Amino acid sequence: MVKEYNFFLVKQGNSLTLIDTGLNTDDCWNSLQKTLKNHDFTLTDITRILLTHHHLDHIGLVNRIVSTHTITVYAHPYAILVLKRDKEYTKMRIEFFRKLQGDGMWGNQG
């Protein structure tokens, strides 16, 4: 079985950027830790996180990582709404998909 995690590390000068954070799973967490260790880094060496978009396989570990040390997270405004679990944004998304399903765009669900 192939395992793939959506995170990338970029070292530039004295900064280490984590691009995306993968899934919120122990396997992904351990893979990030192993990747850092293999390159002589730790979580506290990460100077910033850049999230490309708000899918769960790209933002999964962000809360776990930022709980270890203060770090700046850069994200699209919609991703921030997802990360903060904004109630109005969540309601809008639920209504959007409810309408799609009601309009028959998802095919026969029964």
Side-chain angles (χ1 to χ4, degrees), residues 51 53-54 59 73-86 89:
L51 300 175
H53 61 286
H54 63 276
I59 66 168
V73 177
Y74 297 92
H76 186 279
Y78 288 159
I80 293 168
L81 294 173
V82 171
L83 292 167
K84 290 186 174 183
R85 294 179 177 88
D86 181 84
Y89 179 78

Side-chain angles (χ1 to χ4, degrees), residues 86-106:
D86 181 84
K87 289 180 182 179
E88 290 305 312
Y89 179 78
T90 302
K91 279 193 233 178
M92 182 275 301
R93 296 276 297 169
I94 291 169
E95 185 57 29
F96 172 80
F97 286 109
R98 186 175 289 133
K99 270 186 161 178
L100 282 180
Q101 187 175 14
D103 291 344
M105 294 179 76
W106 291 65

Side-chain angles (χ1 to χ4, degrees), residues 8-107:
F8 303 90
L9 291 164
V10 177
K11 174 85 170 119
Q12 186 176 16
N14 291 329
S15 68
L16 182 63
T17 302
L18 178 62
I19 301 174
D20 291 332
T21 63
L23 289 165
N24 187 17
T25 64
D26 287 338
D27 281 345
C28 189
W29 176 256
N30 293 336
S31 179
L32 176 60
Q33 297 288 344
K34 182 178 178 182
T35 300
L36 288 164
K37 184 178 180 181
N38 287 346
H39 296 280
D40 296 321
F41 296 118
T42 66
L43 278 177
T44 57
D45 292 316
I46 298 172
T47 53
R48 67 181 149 252
I49 296 173
L50 172 64
L51 300 175
T52 60
H53 61 286
H54 63 276
H55 291 166
L56 295 178
D57 60 331
H58 290 259
I59 66 168
L61 291 175
V62 71
N63 291 333
R64 199 167 175 180
I65 294 166
V66 300
S67 71
T68 66
H69 70 289
T70 302
I71 185 169
T72 303
V73 177
Y74 297 92
H76 186 279
Y78 288 159
I80 293 168
L81 294 173
V82 171
L83 292 167
K84 290 186 174 183
R85 294 179 177 88
D86 181 84
K87 289 180 182 179
E88 290 305 312
Y89 179 78
T90 302
K91 279 193 233 178
M92 182 275 301
R93 296 276 297 169
I94 291 169
E95 185 57 29
F96 172 80
F97 286 109
R98 186 175 289 133
K99 270 186 161 178
L100 282 180
Q101 187 175 14
D103 291 344
M105 294 179 76
W106 291 65

